[in-house]
Amino acid sequence: RMFPREVELSRRMFPREVVALEHEWGNWLVDQKQLDAAINHFIEAGQYVKAIEAAIQARQWSKAGQIVDMQDDDVAERYYKLIGQHFDETKHFDKAERFYIKARCPQMAVEMYTRANKW
């Protein structure tokens, strides 16, 4: 596909079509296993859950966290604990604590610091 050209043309001639094209491009990139590249296209399309999922699958945890932080609680809550667990496993304790607290799982932060002998 010629997505860059299609999007450029749509921006000039059919601006209402850009969002749908960005979404389609993101889906195509996921199908091609180019998850990193898909993230921004999903954001451009307003498909934030798909952007978060692509970031997690691409192991772009900081990017996933940034996107999650911009979402309403009903979307964000399902990802906070998962992202916290990643940062816990990689010993980024401050980040893990922040996501555990947002996930309303302060006990997980306490257990993390206890395991790391930082309590």
Side-chain angles (χ1 to χ4, degrees):
R1 297 268 328 239
M2 300 283 295
F3 282 107
R5 189 156 172 81
E6 290 176 43
V7 169
E8 179 185 327
L9 180 63
S10 288
R11 284 193 200 287
R12 285 187 276 129
M13 304 298 289
F14 310 102
R16 292 188 189 125
E17 301 298 318
V18 173
V19 170
L21 273 174
E22 290 285 1
H23 186 202
E24 187 179 341
W25 193 353
N27 286 333
W28 183 81
L29 288 166
V30 167
D31 290 343
Q32 301 302 308
K33 307 294 186 228
Q34 296 180 34
L35 299 165
D36 287 350
I39 298 165
N40 287 332
H41 295 288
F42 286 138
I43 290 170
E44 288 291 319
Q47 297 292 320
Y48 299 109
V49 171
K50 284 188 171 188
I52 294 164
E53 294 288 340
I56 289 170
Q57 289 177 26
R59 307 203 47 79
Q60 296 290 327
W61 294 96
S62 292
K63 182 79 164 183
Q66 290 170 351
I67 302 166
V68 166
D69 280 340
M70 296 186 306
Q71 305 310 303
D72 292 333
D73 285 345
D74 61 321
V75 171
E77 284 179 348
R78 64 185 114 151
Y79 296 104
Y80 285 143
K81 184 176 174 183
L82 178 66
I83 295 170
Q85 288 171 322
H86 164 75
F87 287 125
D88 182 348
E89 292 167 7
T90 58
K91 303 195 182 329
H92 292 95
F93 299 125
D94 289 344
K95 290 181 181 180
E97 176 186 349
R98 185 170 73 83
F99 284 102
Y100 283 150
I101 298 302
K102 286 184 174 200
R104 297 185 181 112
C105 298
Q107 186 61 33
M108 291 184 80
V110 171
E111 291 168 6
M112 169 187 73
Y113 284 125
T114 302
R115 280 192 314 275
N117 292 320
K118 301 227 182 238
W119 195 251

